[in-house]
Amino acid sequence: MSYPHTRRDDLVENLHGTDVADPYRWLEDADDPEVTAWVAAQRDFAEAALGQLPARAWFAELMGRIVARPRAGVPVKRCGRWFVSRNDGTTPQDVWYTAETLDDLVAGGEVVLDPNSWSEDGTSSLSTFSVARDGSLMAYARSDGGSDWQRIRVRDLATGEDLDDEVTAKFSSPGWLPDHRSFLYTTYDQAADARGTATEGLGVARLMVHRLDGDDEHLLSFPDEPHTMGYGQVSHDDAWLVVSIVRGTENTNRVWAYPITTADGRSTLGEPVKVVDVADAEYGFVRVDGSQLYLQTDLDAPLGRVVRVDLDWAARGDVEFAEVVPERRATLAAVEAAGPGLLLAHLDDAQPVVEYCELDGTNPQPVDLPAGALVALDSSPLRDEAFVGISTLDAPTAAFHVTLPTGEAGPVVERVELAASGVESFAPAHTTTRERATSADGTEVPYFLVTPDDGRTGPRPTLLWGYGGFKIPIFADYRPGWSAWLAAGGAIAIANLRGGGEFGTAWYDAGRLAHKQNVFDDVIGVAEHLVAIGATTPGQLGLYGRSNGGLLVGVAMTQRPDLFGAVVPGVGVLDLLRFHQFTIGAAWMSDYGDPDTPEGFAAAHAYSPLHNVREGTAYPPTLVLTADHDDRVVPLHSFKFAAALQHAQGSDAPVLLRVEGSAGHGAGKSLQMVASEWADLLAFVAHHTGLDAPGA
């Protein structure tokens, strides 16, 4: 194909004794006029090619109807008020409603936040919000154009008006202190340049206290420990601020507990009790009961358990953990304080099991929930009810009300068109089976295989999805495009790869750092198993992943280009030798290692997609997805990888670069953007894997 011209420089660096060419480094500056012109040319080229796909119009029409399906989120109670998000299918962003009672909320409530009024094109979104303990004020975080940068403002819930206060934050959820006049947030030095397209590496993270009636105060930072961040939660009795201190995306952390004193309308924080001051395991805050701090941990329990520690004793240097909920054969995925006890969510073969138990771990009561993926769990020590969000592959989140301590669950029925159960499905009847592949080292790798019940036998076009990193579990949960792919007659495979969190810490550790190749061997093993059982053929197999999953696709297609009929790396980490130099990239060394060290370089260079593109190789049809305001995995990864593939491609299979405008890593996209991207993705994979969509 005749691709847009891409300048190749002769830049070569010697890294740890190896010469490494980087001819497309000039593409790293997204604001440079030459790069802007190149991106525009690539956009036009991709649009022309995508516009010729036979099934594009059919997928676009169907995806438009899918994302326009009315929906509601999971109700949450915050400081005496109820909140829920809704979308009737006509607005780019969800609208948030509030009411004083759940019945009033279900009946409608009143609008408290409407992000659709924040920008003309619908690309400004709500990141998060929190409510002051007395219910008077709401701090909410706004993101523009998909950027991770947030502008936190404060709204008076009685008047609906915003105060003059505004702070710039990142990776932060405002946490109110008991005085109702101050909240915590996290920021960086780069906040002054929060435009969403900058690529400069983030400096020191600072945990701050914002005072509505005065100057902000610095609480915590670690200038000598790069990429170390603190996140705080206030206990329900307002007595403690429990801060988790974590380096980057590591799944180990420290825990400090600050005593809170509130007098004369002002909360102050005392010297912290350093409960855990060596990050030897993962510790998640659950609740404080009197002097007892409850934590979820994998310390001496790779599948997870719950422990407690006495803060009074810890203040004297005597830290001893007492076990509350022991490790089981299933992975402990989440623990929430709920009424007088605990709400536990375990993963049994990547499928959720929820139960309620007493605070000492006794008398477990199962929560009766329908089958599906657990996507939300909301409860509080201050109320005897909880809410659980369940989604299925073809239906978005349904909210269920759980009565404590019995565990009895029932649906939360919103207005008729927003019923939390019985929403219209655009997918045909289908069957989900649990399959097992074998990786290169003999490890069994489970995956879900979803096939339409259309009576067709033999191999069919199949879309394989995976992630495999950062201890994040992958489920057979809702994604808008799954219904459309099934409706077209395709099958879906969802892989549980090493590096994920489905099977505990050992499973995660087996897929990172020096063991990262296991993840790629796992997805290749799943692909080969799909072929071996007759579910598909290499020419009918598509591979899709986003972010770390985009890396997965990039590696799999460069290591086994013969195994796939089409590939889609979305917002992927594709330059493993320079990822740590941009925005928050250095935080990911927990999984990818440090390429500035000899051992880190050797491991990364061996699989880095950008550096393993070989000229003259016949790569499968490739659609590279990115966005111009992705300041997490910056678009330069996709720019350089697409350029390298277009130059090296040894066949007539296309390599397209689709760059979304005014969008980021994924969160906060408008409904229209979601529908458009899925339509292009599915039409591309369908065309190149031989899926004859209806009407195509």
Side-chain angles (χ1 to χ4, degrees):
M1 301 186 72
S2 181
Y3 295 107
H5 173 71
T6 305
R7 171 165 60 87
R8 284 175 58 85
D9 292 340
D10 57 3
L11 175 63
V12 177
E13 292 179 318
N14 188 276
L15 303 175
H16 304 286
T18 300
D19 286 339
V20 178
D22 196 357
Y24 305 114
R25 186 170 294 183
W26 63 275
L27 286 170
E28 291 181 354
D29 184 359
D31 293 324
D32 181 90
E34 184 182 9
V35 178
T36 302
W38 180 87
V39 169
Q42 290 286 344
R43 273 181 171 148
D44 291 344
F45 182 82
E47 174 58 30
L50 293 168
Q52 297 177 20
L53 296 174
R56 190 193 199 195
W58 184 84
F59 277 116
E61 190 276 334
L62 180 56
M63 285 306 310
R65 287 192 288 128
I66 289 173
V67 302
R69 172 171 43 190
R71 65 183 188 276
V74 177
V76 296
K77 189 177 185 181
R78 297 290 182 264
C79 309
R81 297 192 65 87
W82 290 90
F83 300 86
V84 74
S85 64
R86 296 190 183 111
N87 197 314
D88 63 4
T90 66
T91 60
Q93 302 290 336
D94 293 353
V95 179
W96 280 85
Y97 294 78
T98 187
E100 293 187 359
T101 70
L102 182 59
D103 287 342
D104 288 344
L105 188 71
V106 170
E110 61 184 26
V111 174
V112 63
L113 288 172
D114 183 3
N116 300 288
S117 66
W118 297 346
S119 62
E120 291 185 3
D121 60 0
T123 60
S124 293
S125 62
L126 176 70
S127 299
T128 185
F129 73 86
S130 64
V131 181
R133 226 26 136 210
D134 65 353
S136 62
L137 300 173
M138 165 193 280
Y140 68 93
R142 166 180 168 170
S143 168
D144 293 317
S147 171
D148 281 333
W149 285 109
Q150 306 160 305
R151 287 190 284 161
I152 300 177
R153 302 212 65 183
V154 178
R155 177 156 297 185
D156 186 320
L157 289 175
T159 66
E161 299 296 323
D162 284 351
L163 307 185
D164 292 334
D165 295 72
E166 181 175 295
V167 297
T168 302
K170 198 164 195 174
F171 309 122
S172 183
S173 180
W176 288 94
L177 292 177
D179 59 13
H180 325 307
R181 302 293 299 170
S182 52
F183 62 81
L184 292 102
Y185 70 99
T186 300
T187 193
Y188 296 81
D189 292 337
Q190 288 75 15
D193 187 23
R195 53 194 162 95
T197 57
T199 60
E200 180 185 0
L202 294 179
V204 176
R206 299 190 307 279
L207 185 60
M208 306 289 292
V209 179
H210 177 66
R211 304 283 187 182
L212 298 185
D213 54 359
D215 296 332
D216 287 8
E217 301 170 6
H218 171 268
L219 177 63
L220 185 66
S221 63
F222 296 88
D224 297 328
E225 299 181 37
H227 326 302
T228 296
M229 297 164 272
Y231 305 96
Q233 293 174 268
V234 176
S235 61
H236 72 279
D237 61 2
D238 290 338
W240 295 92
L241 170 68
V242 180
V243 176
S244 173
I245 301 165
V246 60
R247 185 176 185 271
T249 52
E250 291 180 358
N251 281 279
T252 59
N253 61 287
R254 290 174 273 176
V255 177
W256 291 4
Y258 291 79
I260 303 174
T261 301
T262 302
D264 299 324
R266 185 180 181 88
S267 294
T268 57
L269 302 171
E271 288 299 311
V273 177
K274 298 181 179 180
V275 181
V276 178
D277 206 29
V278 175
D280 58 351
E282 186 173 13
Y283 302 90
F285 172 63
V286 177
R287 68 183 294 164
V288 173
D289 187 63
S291 66
Q292 300 296 309
L293 169 64
Y294 289 76
L295 299 168
Q296 177 185 351
T297 184
D298 61 357
L299 178 69
D300 301 324
L303 295 179
R305 61 179 179 144
V306 179
V307 298
R308 69 171 182 263
V309 60
D310 191 298
L311 287 170
D312 291 340
W313 285 51
R316 296 191 291 268
D318 186 0
V319 177
E320 184 175 344
F321 293 116
E323 187 168 81
V324 177
V325 178
E327 181 182 33
R328 303 178 185 173
R329 68 173 184 83
T331 305
L332 183 59
V335 183
E336 293 288 331
L342 304 172
L343 203 58
L344 310 172
H346 285 86
L347 294 180
D348 188 353
D349 197 20
Q351 296 163 92
V353 178
V354 180
E355 66 182 22
Y356 172 84
C357 69
E358 304 292 342
L359 197 52
D360 61 1
T362 62
N363 194 28
Q365 301 291 323
V367 175
D368 185 19
L369 293 167
L374 180 68
V375 293
L377 198 62
D378 184 78
S379 61
S380 166
L382 301 175
R383 62 180 195 266
D384 58 0
E385 61 190 349
F387 292 87
V388 179
I390 299 289
S391 82
T392 60
L393 187 128
D394 62 329
T397 301
F400 292 86
H401 177 271
V402 180
T403 302
L404 304 175
T406 65
E408 181 181 356
V412 178
V413 181
E414 289 269 299
R415 293 174 296 173
V416 174
E417 70 272 24
L418 296 178
S421 61
V423 294
E424 178 186 1
S425 173
F426 291 88
H430 53 275
T431 299
T432 301
T433 59
R434 197 72 166 131
E435 305 290 341
R436 313 276 169 176
T438 302
S439 193
D441 64 355
T443 298
E444 186 179 82
V445 182
Y447 66 96
F448 298 96
L449 179 59
V450 188
T451 309
D453 297 337
D454 55 11
R456 175 179 169 180
T457 59
R460 71 171 73 214
T462 300
L463 187 53
L464 171 57
W465 164 266
Y467 187 80
F470 299 95
K471 210 177 183 181
I472 296 173
I474 295 299
F475 309 117
D477 57 357
Y478 178 75
R479 297 179 192 276
W482 291 162
S483 292
W485 184 255
L486 290 170
I492 300 166
I494 300 171
N496 301 121
L497 312 171
R498 280 178 285 187
E502 300 92 334
F503 304 104
T505 301
W507 187 258
Y508 163 60
D509 286 340
R512 68 186 187 103
L513 301 177
H515 307 295
K516 190 67 181 175
Q517 180 61 40
N518 286 337
V519 184
F520 315 129
D521 290 341
D522 287 358
V523 78
I524 289 170
V526 171
E528 291 177 333
H529 189 259
L530 286 164
V531 173
I533 64 175
T536 192
T537 65
Q540 294 174 300
L541 182 58
L543 178 62
Y544 173 43
R546 295 181 65 85
S547 195
N548 177 74
L551 165 65
L552 177 79
V553 175
V555 176
M557 67 174 289
T558 52
Q559 293 187 355
R560 287 295 305 275
D562 60 305
L563 192 52
F564 305 101
V567 293
V568 184
V571 291
V573 185
L574 299 162
D575 183 344
L576 268 294
L577 300 187
R578 289 174 60 78
F579 74 90
H580 58 311
Q581 299 188 24
F582 309 111
T583 63
I584 194 62
W588 312 329
M589 289 192 286
S590 62
D591 273 47
Y592 305 145
D594 183 354
D596 287 341
T597 66
E599 61 276 9
F601 167 81
H605 190 245
Y607 67 80
S608 175
L610 178 65
H611 301 94
N612 283 277
V613 174
R614 302 290 179 243
E615 193 166 345
T617 299
Y619 291 105
T622 304
L623 176 61
V624 181
L625 304 176
T626 190
D628 62 358
H629 280 66
D630 188 347
D631 50 7
R632 191 175 308 178
V633 181
V634 287
L636 65 88
H637 286 273
S638 295
F639 294 172
K640 294 169 72 174
F641 186 59
L645 280 174
Q646 289 178 350
H647 173 78
Q649 179 63 292
S651 74
D652 59 0
V655 176
L656 307 181
L657 174 64
R658 185 186 190 278
V659 184
E660 190 80 74
S662 297
H665 198 58
K669 278 188 176 182
S670 69
L671 293 187
Q672 293 76 13
M673 286 179 174
V674 171
S676 175
E677 181 178 279
W678 270 110
D680 286 353
L681 184 163
L682 296 177
F684 182 85
V685 177
H687 179 68
H688 293 289
T689 59
L691 180 62
D692 295 322

